[in-house]
Amino acid sequence: MPTSQPYGSWNSPISTDSLGKSIRRIEQVALDGQNAYWVEARSAEAGRNVLMRYNQEGQVQEVLPPASEGWEYDVRTSVHEYGGQAYAVLDSLIIFSCGRDHLVYSYKTDSPLPPVPLTGKPSSRFADLYIDARRSRVYAIHEDHSQPGPCRNSIVAIPLDGTARLDASRVTTLWSDSDFVSSLCLSPDGRFLSFISWDHPHMPWSKAVLRVAQLDAAGEITSCIALTDGTTAPLQARWSPLGELIFADNPTRWWNLWRIEGWDRIPEGASWSLEDLRFRPLNPGSRDHCGPGWYLGACDFEFLDADMLVSSWSEGGTRKIGSIKISNGETEAWPLQWFPQGQVRAKDGLTLAVMSSWDHPTSLVAIKNGQVTVIRSSMTEDYPHEYIARPRLLEWASPDGLPITGWYYPPTSPEYSGPSQDLPPLILNVHGGPTAEALPGFDPTICTFTSRGFAYLDVNYRGSWGRGTDFVEALNGCWGVKDVADCVSGAQAAVSQKLADPSRLAIRGISAGGFTTLAALTSTSVFTAGCDISGPADLLSMASTTHKYETYYVDSLVGTLDREDPVWMARSPITRVAEISAPLLIQQGEIDKVVPLEQSRIIYKTLLEEGKPVALRVFTNEGHGFMSSRAISLAHAAELAFYRRIWNITPPSEEAEQDANAVNLDNWP
């Protein structure tokens, strides 16, 4: 029988040290024949992105050899700062971008030769690579940082013969008529190159254009036509094996899939127009079949065979995966106990997907004939299943009546239970974006708290992804107000259902979630503790110093492009720091390019001078989000110790010394 022990003081086998050392983020999935490829970011190697392969013999192996100088390749791109797809593979040929020098390399997995650079300018960055074997070139999104001012984005072709290594003019610009491009894809016959473009002040999920360029035999663009009118936001597009273009778009206010036929009727080299094509919805419904487009190379649907695609989608507060017939749009959700968390790839009846389940962390899995096989887990060690909290969907109404949901994770341990007269302390998480989406499943970082007796509420506040365009846009113009109301009412809903102690409510968040955390602490007294991780505090400063991709993003959230409007200062937590009454823990990377470190320092200094409890932890060589095992471990240890100190929770003896050294809280008794 479990021992009665105060909530938050339970001993747990899930240590913060093992959490940091065991994480490897899985992304950038690809299929080449029956070989599966992916990139894993290893916290144990300071976040290095390692290209991996699962071959037909069932072996998992690192693909790239060390460089001749002895250093390891980092398969990474920083286009749009957030990066994304940094490699392409076709018939054992791998083309990849290296984060160390921003060069593009070529490597043959069946050759003894080392990777060979195809480009030579470190001021150039490349992403969304697509191999055109017919023309011996690679299409890529190019970001040029060689000139002062904002970088320039374009679509380019890089020759595979290596001549651009010493002669940068050999990198041919194909399209440069927009601020941003994404989703490069070549038709099966090589005649058409599809892509998505958009311009300031929009983000890709607000307004964009799907375009198709016709290529001649040499790969030059002979014509380029916009397939959408710029009032919607197409986010992903790819060609079917039969040469039809399938894409996600939101004219119905949901990102459903659409189909464009008729490409085979366009004579080679002939002029053409929209009248030559047939558009039709593939599967209309209240669901989103793609993500918001923060990362290049996103892939939420792929072709299982000539008449069937596999897709993941958000519906009813969760994510599903299933098949869709291209001929008639018939959609079937697969009855799996797994939830999509990332890319989907498929070919010849085999599906690869990044997914998690109730008791498995995010993993790369293979799905065939309804059976799921784990290829690679994002954790290097297993946690006992009985310590893993299973969430339930919590629903409530925000003060203005808008329905809001969140995933509630209860305190979970086979060894302990809380005293019958007590309620657990609650940690309310505000995800980033704000267009991210809180998804259910086993998250070891959440279990770090729940296995020790804390409750956890992961909120999908307005602005979150997965509930259509209207829900995303419901935050426009009211960031720092309505999102705060959604989170406050969520904490109150948990209290009213006796799921949380009203005197021990914490709010925490990273990036945009950190902003909402600060806004909540300056405008309400509901929360008795807060943890801000890399959150913007001075909106005007952030808008004027952030990178090109997000130059006008805050403007839409604040509701005005006029930066003289007083609403900018009114919404900035940095102008109301003195109103924060709850103890605050601030954690941030020293080289954060999205949110300048100075913003956190100003908040810390102001609260320090006001005599209010505050702690600031700055992690060297870390940016916007922590990558190294050391930073991940120390950040979670500090947050855990912070809550215990604020709420006067005695840690288990095994963690007493760690808690004492984990965080230096100023102005606290």
Side-chain angles (χ1 to χ4, degrees), residues 77-84 203 294-296 433 511 542 546-547 549-550 553 594 624:
T77 177
S78 54
V79 172
H80 298 172
E81 295 300 332
Y82 293 102
M203 297 300 286
W294 282 101
Y295 302 98
L296 291 164
S511 191
M542 180 181 176
T546 194
H547 52 102
Y549 187 70
E550 292 188 74
Y553 183 32
V594 179
H624 195 63

Side-chain angles (χ1 to χ4, degrees), residues 424-457:
L426 176 74
I427 300 168
L428 184 145
N429 182 63
V430 192
H431 63 63
T435 55
E437 181 181 4
L439 298 170
F442 170 33
D443 184 337
T445 61
I446 294 176
C447 290
T448 303
F449 297 112
T450 56
S451 64
R452 288 170 168 81
F454 295 89
Y456 195 96
L457 179 60

